[in-house]
Amino acid sequence: MSARKGKQPVKRIALMTSGGDAPGMNAAIRAVVRRAIHHGSEVVGVRRGYLGLIEGEFEPLPATAVSGIINRGGTILLTARCPEFKTEEGQGDAVAQLRQHQIDGVIVVGGDGSLHGAHELWQKWQVPTVGIPGSIDNDLAGTDFSIGFDTAVNTALDAIDKIRDTAVSHDRIFVVEVMGRDVGFIALEVGLAGGAEAILVPEIPFETTRIGSTIKRGRRRGKTSYIIVVAEGAARGIAVAADIEAITGAETRATVLGHLQRGGAPTAADRVLATRLGAAAVDAMVEGRFGVMVGMQANQVVVFPLETIWTQRKTIDTSVYELAHVLAA
Ligand code: ADP
Ligand code: F6P
C-alpha cells in the first residue's frame, strides 16, 4: 500500500526535519507553512525529527514563525538521528503522539534514512506522509537534486580554490576529503568544478599506486602541484595523503572539510528548490497523495512513491567521472 489516494481532508499537518541538516531546509519549512495556510490548513512543527515525534516536542507554526529564515542554514526545527524510531515500540509512541495532537498528516524533510521512516509511518501505521529530499549527499533516486547539495558543493569548491593557491605556491600535493558517506556526488561535482587532478569516489575502484605513478610522471614533465578530491566513503584523506607522499616523495597534505560543508546560507538554487518542493509537498498532501515524495526532474516538480528511493538506486554519472579524468591529464 503506497502512493494511494487518501480520503480524509488534511487540516493539521506536522512538519519535521530529520537526519543531517542541509542548507535550504529552512526555506522548505517556510514554503510548507505558507502554502498550507494558502490551502486553509495549519502546520505544527516537530522539533528534533523522530526523537521529538516520540517525545511530543510539538509547536504551532504560524506564518510569522517562518519570517526571515529563507536565507539561514541549518534548521529552525532542529534535527536528530533517532535509532529508537526504527523499533516497533518507538514508532508506536510516535503514532500515539500524532493522534494526541490530532495530526492528519506528516511532512518529513530529510535524507534516505528519514524518508524510510516516512515510508514506515504510512505503510505500517497508515499515517499519511509526504517526503521532501533534504541531504547534501544528493543520493536520493527520483530527484535530480536534494536540498543542500548545491550549497555544499559551492562551499567545498570555495575551500578547494583556496587550497589550490597554497598547493601552487608550495609545489605541493593536497588531498581534500569531502563528505559523502556512501556516494561520490559531492566529490565528483566539486572535483570537476575545481579542476582536480584525481577524484576518488566509493562507486569506482582506485589504486593509490597508479595515482602516485601518474603524479611522478607529471612532476618529471614540470607539473608541480596537484589536488586530489576524495569522498569520505572512498577512503580517509589522511591515509591517501600518506600513501601518495610515500610513492612520490613529494610534500603531501590532507584537508578534511567535514561539517563546514553542511552549514551556511543556502545558495539561490537551493532556496528555489526548497521553496518549490515545500509547496509541492503540501499540494500533494491536500490532494490526498500519501506515501510519496516530491522531487525535481528536468526542472519540473514530480511526485512519486517513496520506495522509488531504494528500488531505483541513484548512481553517479560515470561519463562525467571519465571526463574529469581526461581533462586532468
Ligand atoms: P538521513 O535522513 O540524513 O539519511 P539517517 O540515515 O541518520 O539520516 O536517518 C535519520 C533518522 O531516520 C534515523 O535516526 C531514524 O530515526 C530514521 N530512520 C532511518 N532509517 C530508518 C528505517 N529503515 N526505518 C525507520 N526509520 C528510519
Ligand atoms: O548524510 C549527510 C552527511 O553529512 C554525510 O555526508 C556524512 O557522512 C554524515 O552526514 C555525517 O553525519 P554526522 O553529522 O552525524 O557525523
Side-chain angles (χ1 to χ4, degrees):
M1 177 175 50
S2 68
R4 193 190 67 188
K5 285 226 169 196
K7 295 270 182 287
Q8 67 275 46
V10 178
K11 281 285 165 205
R12 230 166 116 76
I13 300 171
L15 170 65
M16 66 161 94
T17 49
S18 167
D21 64 310
M25 280 182 164
N26 282 326
I29 292 169
R30 172 180 175 273
V32 167
V33 168
R34 301 232 167 126
R35 186 66 163 183
I37 292 168
H38 169 80
H39 281 298
S41 300
E42 61 177 314
V43 177
V44 177
V46 181
R47 289 158 70 90
R48 298 190 172 79
Y50 292 112
L51 183 64
L53 193 55
I54 290 172
E55 296 184 350
E57 288 193 66
F58 291 69
E59 60 173 314
L61 284 181
T64 51
V66 295
S67 294
I69 64 167
I70 195 168
N71 56 330
R72 283 168 54 189
T75 158
I76 61 160
L77 285 176
L78 312 181
T79 188
R81 303 204 195 264
C82 173
E84 200 188 337
F85 185 75
K86 291 188 187 177
T87 66
E88 185 92 2
E89 196 188 346
Q91 292 181 5
D93 289 347
V95 172
Q97 289 287 354
L98 289 168
R99 292 207 179 109
Q100 194 185 323
H101 288 84
Q102 298 176 306
I103 300 297
D104 299 318
V106 183
I107 294 180
V108 180
V109 191
D112 179 81
S114 304
L115 299 183
H116 262 87
H119 182 254
E120 299 236 324
L121 275 176
W122 173 236
Q123 283 264 305
K124 290 196 186 159
W125 304 85
Q126 293 76 52
V127 172
T129 56
V130 176
I132 300 177
S135 168
I136 64 164
D137 291 346
N138 203 33
D139 56 346
L140 295 162
T143 186
D144 294 343
F145 298 105
S146 298
I147 296 166
F149 174 66
D150 186 68
T151 307
V153 164
N154 278 289
T155 302
L157 183 62
D158 181 55
I160 285 172
D161 286 348
K162 286 173 177 147
I163 288 168
R164 193 178 280 287
D165 289 348
T166 301
V168 170
S169 303
H170 282 262
D171 295 332
R172 274 183 189 162
I173 302 166
F174 269 87
V175 177
V176 184
E177 183 186 307
V178 298
M179 275 187 166
R181 208 170 9 190
D182 308 307
V183 290
F185 290 98
I186 296 177
L188 184 55
E189 196 87 350
V190 162
L192 190 67
E197 279 71 23
I199 305 170
L200 312 186
V201 293
E203 296 88 341
I204 298 177
F206 62 88
E207 290 169 28
T208 43
T209 42
R210 288 187 67 175
I211 298 166
S213 304
T214 306
I215 292 174
K216 273 170 83 173
R217 278 199 305 279
R219 285 173 72 83
R220 281 198 293 272
R221 283 199 330 261
K223 183 170 170 59
T224 55
S225 67
Y226 288 81
I227 302 277
I228 300 169
V229 173
V230 52
E232 62 176 332
R236 304 315 306 197
I238 289 172
V240 174
D243 282 357
I244 297 291
E245 186 165 274
I247 297 162
T248 61
E251 222 177 359
T252 308
R253 296 278 194 273
T255 304
V256 179
L257 296 184
H259 289 81
L260 258 184
Q261 296 154 96
R262 281 244 296 267
T267 57
D270 270 329
R271 296 182 204 191
V272 170
L273 178 70
T275 299
R276 290 180 68 188
L277 294 186
V282 175
D283 293 348
M285 186 148 272
V286 299
E287 285 165 14
R289 303 179 72 181
F290 307 140
V292 295
M293 140 177 183
V294 292
M296 197 66 78
Q297 288 176 9
N299 206 27
Q300 297 298 313
V301 171
V302 287
V303 182
F304 50 87
L306 276 164
E307 56 261 42
T308 307
I309 298 167
W310 48 98
T311 54
Q312 297 177 15
R313 286 210 70 78
K314 185 168 171 181
T315 53
I316 59 163
D317 185 337
T318 50
S319 70
V320 174
Y321 180 87
E322 279 152 23
L323 175 64
H325 186 72
V326 167
L327 299 184

